[in-house]
Amino acid sequence: MLTMTKGAAAALMFFLELGVLIALARWGFTREANIVVRILLGLGTPAAFATLWGLFMAGGKAPYQLHGIARGAFEVVWFGAGAAALAASGLVTAGVVFAVVYVVDAALRLLTNQV
């Protein structure tokens, strides 16, 4: 049972990570600006966030791997940005659901010693 819970929490974490990038792209593409700015925001914001994830969080392969409080703070900002991007692009309920799912997943990972 514990192995299944750990696997489910890890899978959910992966999909939440992708969700942040999708939410940021949606936010960028839905701004009220000219098409060039929307394209830059829609592609550039997720690219910048993905770079940060690769530098600091990428499962044991990150060159500047974060641990402890720094890792927790990074996660909160990362997933909070995803929830905020959904809300700012007009999907407020989706943003709230996203935040709640992240909190549940974080709690599961804490309970199964996956952090």
Side-chain angles (χ1 to χ4, degrees):
M1 178 71 170
L2 182 61
T3 304
M4 190 171 76
T5 303
K6 283 184 175 186
L12 182 56
M13 179 72 163
F14 174 72
F15 288 116
L16 286 169
E17 293 165 16
L18 292 178
V20 169
L21 299 176
I22 293 166
L24 291 169
R26 177 179 167 72
W27 171 82
F29 287 123
T30 59
R31 295 299 83 213
E32 289 189 21
N34 69 50
I35 188 71
V36 174
V37 172
R38 287 190 309 219
I39 290 171
L40 287 173
L41 288 173
L43 297 176
T45 308
F49 267 68
T51 300
L52 290 172
W53 189 269
L55 286 172
F56 299 110
M57 300 290 283
K61 298 177 184 180
Y64 308 104
Q65 188 75 39
L66 297 178
H67 302 283
I69 293 174
R71 181 181 178 88
F74 187 95
E75 274 193 24
V76 168
V77 170
W78 171 273
F79 292 105
L86 285 170
S89 65
L91 301 174
V92 177
T93 303
V96 171
V97 169
F98 187 89
V100 168
V101 170
Y102 165 69
V103 169
V104 169
D105 184 62
L108 277 175
R109 288 184 297 116
L110 276 172
L111 290 172
T112 58
N113 296 316
Q114 289 187 41
V115 280

